[in-house]
Amino acid sequence: MFLLGIDGGGSHTRAELRTMDNRLLRRLEFGSLNLAVLGKDRFCLQLRELFSACGNMSECTSLCLGMAGISAGPAKDLLVQELERAGFCGRLTLLGDHEIALAGAMQGPGCVLICGTGSICCGRNEAGTFARCGGLGHLLGDEGSGYAIGREALSLTAKALDEQFEMSSLARAVMEAAGAKDLADLLRYVYSEERGKAHIAALAPVVIACADRKDPESLALLRRQAEQLRPQVEALAHKLSIERPRLALLGGLLMPKNSYRSLVEQALSSCAELVEPEHDALWGAAELAYLASR
């Protein structure tokens, strides 16, 4: 008998198996579980490979899977179908990826701010009340995210080309990353049907690299985006009735020590107590599987 936590991601998926008394057995890694990218058949094959690698799923008493969009829709239906196929009959917990990240980062009350392609802030107070802010997607929100940074960098570059300003260091770096020689190339890059929000967000590290070299335009851009994260944290603190919450910074943009993380820390220092995460999201998923089994 065993417990299973899964952190399902767009680029890769990880699983953690534990004994019934909550001791680590092993961790495994697999490819993407993004249904939109994989399609139904490959998504199901990926699940079968994962469950097969974990062992006899009829012996799994509790499974917690954290993944964006898993709580409803076709991905959930296919997951349940493949679990039944594998013989699973234990307790199933389906959560957003931000929820397992919180469970891993904080033992007790506190919050996490996650900045990757998008951005979201969530937390839990002393009473156990859960709340979130952000996570509205790139059309309605995602302030301070990789997408927001990439979009602003593209906008500044396009305006410089359109108005025939002198090309800045940031604009030259964006043009190089986009493989563009002129404004027409840049517009094709942005508006191509093959280009999704992840491609725009992929320009954020280009901006951060320029800022790490003390480029003033890049630093100003990142400072603007960092400041836009503060209202999320303040709103979440208000929802949870916590005056100055403990806050862990997570996600691809904030986990490494870079100029953007430093600017985010400066922007949030007045409204939150910044702390290091205790564990990762996969640990959180496995721990929630254990708690659900008790």
Side-chain angles (χ1 to χ4, degrees), residues 3-5 62-64 91 93 284-294:
L3 309 168
L4 178 60
S62 179
L63 187 163
C64 175
R91 185 179 184 89
T93 305
E287 186 69 9
L288 289 171
Y290 168 67
L291 294 174
S293 72
R294 298 175 65 182

Side-chain angles (χ1 to χ4, degrees), residues 85-252:
R85 178 191 181 103
F88 174 77
C89 54
R91 185 179 184 89
L92 176 63
T93 305
L94 300 179
L95 299 170
D97 50 0
H98 57 287
E99 294 176 272
I100 62 169
L102 174 63
M106 293 286 171
Q107 303 305 293
C111 306
V112 294
L113 173 65
I114 307 171
C115 286
T117 299
S119 64
I120 188 171
C121 189
C122 67
R124 201 174 295 278
N125 62 19
E126 287 277 6
T129 302
F130 174 85
R132 55 173 278 182
C133 278
L136 302 179
H138 68 293
L139 295 179
L140 299 178
D142 280 350
E143 298 87 354
S145 67
Y147 178 87
I149 292 169
R151 182 189 179 282
E152 185 174 351
L154 283 165
S155 178
L156 291 171
T157 302
K159 287 179 179 178
L161 290 165
D162 190 38
E163 299 171 14
Q164 298 184 330
F165 294 156
E166 182 179 350
M167 294 288 284
S168 65
S169 296
L170 174 60
R172 289 194 296 271
V174 169
M175 292 292 282
E176 181 180 353
K181 296 180 180 179
D182 53 28
L183 180 57
D185 279 350
L186 189 65
L187 293 175
R188 279 191 290 271
Y189 176 87
V190 173
Y191 293 110
S192 166
E193 292 183 359
E194 299 176 357
R195 210 79 60 200
K197 61 182 181 180
H199 294 91
I200 306 301
L203 294 172
V206 174
V207 181
I208 293 172
C210 289
D212 288 344
R213 296 192 293 270
K214 309 301 181 185
D215 173 61
E217 184 181 26
S218 302
L219 284 167
L221 187 164
L222 294 180
R223 186 173 290 107
R224 287 192 295 272
Q225 292 295 332
E227 288 291 338
Q228 290 189 55
L229 291 168
R230 184 165 54 209
Q232 279 192 39
V233 175
E234 291 174 338
L236 180 65
H238 177 72
K239 286 183 178 182
L240 294 172
S241 300
I242 305 176
E243 183 174 347
R244 193 165 181 267
R246 294 192 306 145
L247 179 71
L249 302 179
L250 305 176

Side-chain angles (χ1 to χ4, degrees), residues 65-86:
L65 187 151
M67 190 171 79
I70 192 59
S71 59
K76 176 183 177 180
D77 295 338
L78 292 172
L79 171 68
V80 171
Q81 169 191 303
E82 292 304 323
L83 282 171
E84 291 177 352
R85 178 191 181 103

Side-chain angles (χ1 to χ4, degrees), residues 2 20 22 25 111 146 149 214 220:
F2 64 92
M20 292 302 296
N22 210 27
L25 287 170
C111 306
I149 292 169
K214 309 301 181 185

